[in-house]
Amino acid sequence: FQPKVPDGEERSIGSQRTMRPLTEEEIKIFFEKLAKYIGKNIRLLIDRKDEPYCFRLHRDRVFYMSESLMQNSHNIARDNLCSIGVCFGKFTKKKKFRLHITCLDVVAQYAEYKVWIKPTSEQSFLYGNHLLKSGLGRITENTPEHQGVIVLSMMDVPIGFGVSAKSTQDCRKLDPSAIVVFHQADVGEYLRSEDTLL
């Protein structure tokens, strides 16, 4: 499954400063990572009812935007373009993809598995710590082990994402000090990592 590329759009690799469509290899790496959190709902990000959306690569970062916004961005010199649309994350030098907290609101809408965190454990998670069983409020039924999950407050506000350390069934048997979600990203990064997010 590939995002639609508008007719006449440049497909050449170009320089890193040129915003461009993702290559086949980049799409594969990016979608594999994204699928851990939203599964087959990736298609809903592209095939929207309001207007077509697309992913573009700019300075090793993947951005999600409407095609009309992408067309309007051609009026901006690439050296002056810092960010456009929603930044989903970046490719490392080793060609691995790392999701950024900046995509949380979009990913949370389509996530298949979610975890709710108790108010007493929110601060610890927002400082970058893993979620322990003692701080687990609820978890989506039938969540498998090592599955990407969205972490929400008990008020249903997305505050980060991570990877389940145990399945839903195994979580019920754990000690309070056992890890149930490995931390991946949290909204505290807007303060801790503001210089490197974009």
Side-chain angles (χ1 to χ4, degrees):
F1 161 63
Q2 273 216 59
K4 187 177 76 173
V5 177
D7 294 338
E9 174 107 5
E10 185 63 53
R11 270 192 172 275
S12 62
I13 290 181
S15 69
Q16 284 195 352
R17 291 189 175 275
T18 303
M19 185 171 68
R20 61 170 176 80
L22 280 68
T23 65
E24 295 282 343
E25 180 188 7
E26 289 164 346
I27 289 171
K28 183 174 182 285
I29 295 168
F30 171 53
F31 279 3
E32 280 177 0
K33 178 65 119 178
L34 198 52
K36 290 181 180 177
Y37 293 90
I38 64 175
K40 294 179 181 177
N41 289 338
I42 290 174
R43 185 173 294 278
L44 300 176
L45 292 175
I46 305 295
D47 300 332
R48 293 174 48 139
K49 293 180 180 177
D50 48 359
E51 63 175 308
Y53 270 63
C54 59
F55 291 101
R56 289 294 180 269
L57 189 73
H58 183 58
R59 297 181 182 177
D60 294 325
R61 286 166 172 77
V62 175
F63 292 92
Y64 176 64
M65 69 200 82
S66 66
E67 288 187 1
S68 59
L69 179 61
M70 185 263 298
Q71 295 293 344
N72 289 334
S73 74
H74 294 318
N75 299 321
I76 303 169
R78 291 297 168 249
D79 285 344
N80 297 335
L81 186 64
C82 295
S83 177
I84 181 169
V86 177
C87 178
F88 262 62
K90 69 176 289 187
F91 283 99
T92 65
K93 291 179 181 177
K94 294 184 177 179
K95 279 297 176 189
K96 291 187 177 178
F97 187 80
R98 182 173 185 272
L99 277 179
H100 280 187
I101 193 62
T102 47
C103 72
L104 177 63
D105 287 341
V106 178
V107 173
Q109 295 176 51
Y110 302 102
E112 296 183 321
Y113 300 100
K114 299 177 180 180
V115 167
W116 287 262
I117 189 170
K118 292 178 181 175
T120 52
S121 296
E122 277 184 33
Q123 186 171 4
S124 175
F125 185 79
L126 293 176
Y127 279 130
N129 297 311
H130 301 311
L131 175 61
L132 305 180
K133 168 69 184 300
S134 60
L136 180 65
R138 288 186 333 212
I139 184 170
T140 304
E141 278 299 319
N142 301 318
T143 300
E145 188 176 358
H146 300 135
Q147 171 67 47
V149 294
I150 298 299
V151 179
L152 303 101
S153 70
M154 295 305 287
M155 304 289 289
D156 283 333
V157 177
I159 62 171
F161 46 83
V163 175
S164 60
K166 299 289 181 183
S167 67
T168 302
Q169 286 71 26
D170 290 341
C171 281
R172 296 188 176 108
K173 311 168 194 170
L174 293 176
D175 294 331
S177 60
I179 295 172
V180 291
V181 175
F182 295 116
H183 177 278
Q184 295 286 302
D186 66 82
V187 293
E189 290 178 29
Y190 283 111
L191 295 178
R192 297 195 311 271
S193 308
E194 62 179 327
D195 294 334
T196 57
L197 272 179
L198 292 177

